[in-house]
Amino acid sequence: MEYSFSKDDLAKIDEIKSRYPEVMPATLPVLWLAQDKFGHVNEEVQKLVAETLDLPVSHVHGVAEFYTQYYKKEMGKFVLDVCTCLSCHIGGGYDILKHLEKTLGIKAGGTTNDGLFSLQEVECLGACGYAPMMQINNDVFVNHLTPEKTDQVVEGLRKGKYPEFESIAMPLNPNTSASKETV
Amino acid sequence: MAEIIIDGITYEFEGQHKLLQFILDQGKEVPFFCYHPSMSAPANCRQCMVKVGQYVKDRETGAYQLDDQGNREVRWFPKLQTSCTLDMTDGMVVHTQETDTLVQRAQKDTLEFILINHPLDCPICDQAGECPLQIQTYKYGPEGSRFEVKKVHKPKRIELGPRVILDAERCINCTRCVRFTDEISKTNQLTITRRGDKNYPITAPGEVFDDPYSMNTVDICPVGALTAADFRFKARVWEMNQTPGLDITNGKGVNVDLWTRDNLVLRITPRFNPDVNDHWMADQGRDVYRLYNENRVSRPSIRLEDTKGSMDDGVAQVKTSWTNALDTLAEVLHENKASTILTIGSPYASVEENYALQKFSSLKGLPSPFFTPHILEGSGDGFLLTDDQAPNTEGCRLLGLEEIDTEEYKKRIKGASVVLMLNDDPIGRDILKASDFKKPFVVVFATNHTDTAKAADLLIPTTCAAEHTASYVNVEGRIQRTFPAKETRYTNRRLDLEMSEGRLDRYGTTFDNWVTEENRIDCKPTWVSLSELSQRLGIPFSFEHARELVAELSSQHPAFEGISFEKMDEERGILLRRAELTT
Ligand code: SF4
Ligand code: FES
């Protein structure tokens, strides 16, 4: 597949570039733009981004590889990022990951044959207070995961339904009910 | 003047300094990995931690506040600081690991972290013996590891490029190699991929690390993660000698170290010279170790009559004794008319060799020597590669050798009866063809069996830049000198004080299986051969050591006034005729 930016994209990229004194910081937003457009930033897209920004390919490659949020290959329709970093690990992140591997029949890093789900093991997403958790398509956080809750989420997604946004209050005072329950 | 107190000792300083570099400049030590004096400091290894503070002064009186014991009280920065990035200020108080247990502890714990996923395969690692990680772990690291789980495994034996191999498990992600390609060679070929405990340096997908300076990353990698493709597993560092020398592959005069074992040069690394090459050298200059070891002219050879003007050596040229070779040469010079005898200098030969030839021909009444430079337009890069392919073109010019173009060169050869040529390869350089040697009797003072050497009538083996002390003038007019790194049949490490002695040399005898006599080439410095020849010709020309030639040049030749090897050593080369050369 040939990857290229349209005139509109290029105009947007120019606008992005104008926000920074140098070109290098534009790498992140332009990679986002590319991922939104192509669904991923594989090696060829990384090259396109580098050429468009006139930056070394090695630099764009390094940035794209650093973040699990950038997809380095084509992904399924729903990308499930299960956190296994410290708090989630202690809270059972690996159990959730293993459970998902079993229910979806794929290993972390893989995509189901029907192209519906991709599963990734990721580092801290900044939701340590609600561990274990996962993120879907770089967007919705699903917190306080249990195998049952995970099953529900997967079932919902199969029907095209994203889980609801969960607002979680900060446990400022351990005696208030908000700290114990999600609102 | 501003003052800083480091481990209780007060130092004065002026201007901007980073603390780590200042400490190193004082001959003291703080362990570090990622810092390199010629590159930016990202402070990512965290090894160079020190404790820093400021004396507390009474605001009103300006007097130092004292504690109960009467010592000045210090207000410490809340956290330890990375000394590599810290700007020094007046009145700073610094505690390094030498005086502070907190600093010791921090450095030890950092090392424990760095070593968590490190394979600790020093026994099979090329870097062992010259490895900052190994050395600093011995000095400042923990006794053992508390890490009992499986280490993270990463790719091994990745060919980053034709000359550099990566073992990602050994990498401590200091980013020196990446910064080198970003800031020094400017090819931007490397980056760090992945993150956390899984990261390591790599090229962009499908790209090859073929940077013409790629092997500098091997030198600056503080662990054994990057190794040189053609040196890995060849030798342990402590078996080798390290001898200062010069790069002879172009006109820049890059300072190098020649690493030898058993009289073979095994690798060549850059030697710091801020006025020439800083810490760097091009990959191309490292490959000449082959030239020093292989295909050498050892013991004189002479051509059989009926094969003149052809290049098939081995059959046509037969080895002969030094006596026969020099007797023959004396005879040839005697028999032919002086005006038809050519003496040809060489930008590939040292100042001393060219001067010796110049002096010899004038004493013998031969036409004075000429040379033709070897310039390839466009091969220079404005950094360490020059258009000039030879190490001593400027030296030939300063000596006043006649500089002619290749056409004229060809013409002169045609009309000559005898050609006396210093180490050069006009046939390999496509100036001449072997058939041009049909008529004249060609004598070459050769180091290697080049095309020219193969076509010659008489080969006088001569020492190469790895075997003699001699000086070379680079394109900027800087005269620098080499030291003998390899023994010849006629030199001896124990007797020659300019040679270094490794432990294998010290304890080896001819009968040990790690001593190979054949590695000592049967060759002599050109000036020695010319002296022996002069004896036969009855000419007052006698030089044993380059030092004598330099002394003569220094006192008699205006361009070389006042030079000496000691001065070259002390001043990292001497800039000759600076004014004229820079205009
Ligand atoms: S390969 Fe060596 S120089 Fe490069 S980041 Fe790793 S340790 Fe540093
Ligand atoms: S040398 Fe200072 S942090 Fe690495």
Side-chain angles (χ1 to χ4, degrees), chain B residues 166 170-178 192 201 217 220-223 225-226:
Chain B
L166 168 72
R170 291 181 186 154
C171 172
I172 60 167
N173 286 289
C174 69
T175 71
R176 273 184 176 187
C177 54
V178 177
I192 299 280
T217 59
I220 58 175
C221 177
V223 295
L226 299 176

Side-chain angles (χ1 to χ4, degrees), chain B residues 269-324:
Chain B
T269 54
R271 181 163 51 93
F272 176 63
N273 186 335
D275 299 321
V276 180
N277 55 299
D278 202 25
H279 294 274
W280 321 117
M281 78 181 286
D283 291 357
Q284 154 196 307
R286 307 193 188 229
D287 217 33
V288 286
Y289 75 93
R290 289 177 197 282
L291 204 70
Y292 295 146
N293 299 337
E294 297 163 15
N295 205 19
R296 292 293 305 273
V297 179
S298 189
R299 195 177 161 87
S301 309
I302 194 157
R303 175 170 295 279
L304 299 171
E305 273 302 323
D306 52 346
T307 60
K308 260 190 89 58
S310 72
M311 235 170 53
D312 39 27
D313 65 321
V315 194
Q317 290 174 339
V318 292
K319 299 239 179 205
T320 185
S321 67
W322 282 92
T323 313
N324 184 39

Side-chain angles (χ1 to χ4, degrees), chain A:
Chain A
M1 179 174 164
E2 273 287 316
Y3 296 96
S4 61
F5 287 127
S6 68
K7 258 218 175 89
D8 276 2
D9 299 332
L10 291 174
K12 265 186 237 158
I13 290 171
D14 277 338
E15 189 275 317
I16 291 170
K17 279 190 347 198
S18 70
R19 291 186 223 154
Y20 307 98
E22 293 168 50
V23 192
M24 219 166 229
T27 312
L28 287 170
V30 175
L31 276 171
W32 275 125
L33 186 143
Q35 178 152 309
D36 288 345
K37 183 180 171 90
F38 306 116
H40 57 82
V41 288
N42 69 5
E43 292 172 6
E44 280 158 74
V45 177
Q46 291 165 25
K47 216 166 151 190
L48 173 71
V49 169
E51 276 158 14
T52 313
L53 292 176
D54 198 18
L55 286 172
V57 192
S58 60
H59 166 73
V60 177
H61 178 64
V63 172
E65 285 283 337
F66 183 87
Y67 296 99
T68 44
Q69 286 85 347
Y70 292 125
Y71 305 147
K72 269 72 70 179
K73 57 181 185 207
E74 262 179 71
M75 294 296 225
K77 190 165 170 216
F78 303 109
V79 181
L80 311 181
D81 290 338
V82 182
C83 175
T84 55
C85 216
L86 187 65
S87 308
C88 286
H89 183 177
I90 294 169
Y94 275 105
D95 296 338
I96 300 301
L97 185 69
K98 291 273 138 34
H99 181 76
L100 274 168
E101 282 184 340
K102 219 171 87 204
T103 35
L104 298 175
I106 51 174
K107 288 266 161 226
T111 300
T112 53
N113 285 336
D114 57 7
L116 215 50
F117 293 101
S118 291
L119 187 60
Q120 290 201 110
E121 177 186 353
V122 303
E123 301 305 335
C124 188
L125 291 169
C128 303
Y130 341 125
M133 60 77 67
M134 70 174 173
Q135 187 181 22
I136 302 169
N137 286 4
N138 287 333
D139 187 12
V140 193
F141 278 25
V142 199
N143 308 302
H144 295 306
L145 287 177
T146 58
E148 296 73 39
K149 187 165 179 185
T150 316
D151 286 344
Q152 282 166 21
V153 171
V154 169
E155 277 322 303
L157 287 172
R158 280 193 204 283
K159 296 192 194 100
K161 204 168 107 353
Y162 276 89
E164 295 280 307
F165 171 71
E166 307 167 288
S167 164
I168 301 176
M170 278 292 165
L172 292 176
N173 181 345
N175 299 322
T176 61
S177 59
S179 69
K180 291 187 190 121
E181 278 160 42
T182 54
V183 180

Side-chain angles (χ1 to χ4, degrees), chain B residues 414-483:
Chain B
K414 288 238 163 79
S417 65
V418 179
V419 176
L420 208 58
M421 185 189 291
L422 289 189
N423 192 35
D424 195 352
D425 186 13
I427 296 183
R429 283 166 60 184
D430 286 331
I431 303 173
L432 301 176
K433 285 197 227 28
S435 56
D436 293 327
F437 287 176
K438 266 234 155 67
K439 199 179 131 257
F441 186 83
V442 181
V443 186
V444 184
F445 290 88
T447 57
N448 295 73
H449 287 290
T450 57
D451 291 348
T452 307
K454 287 177 192 168
D457 296 294
L458 183 61
L459 274 185
I460 310 285
T462 193
T463 46
C464 67
E467 283 154 341
H468 59 215
T469 298
S471 41
Y472 298 79
V473 184
N474 79 353
V475 285
E476 282 137 23
R478 177 177 300 274
I479 187 165
Q480 313 179 93
R481 65 105 149 216
T482 59
F483 284 82

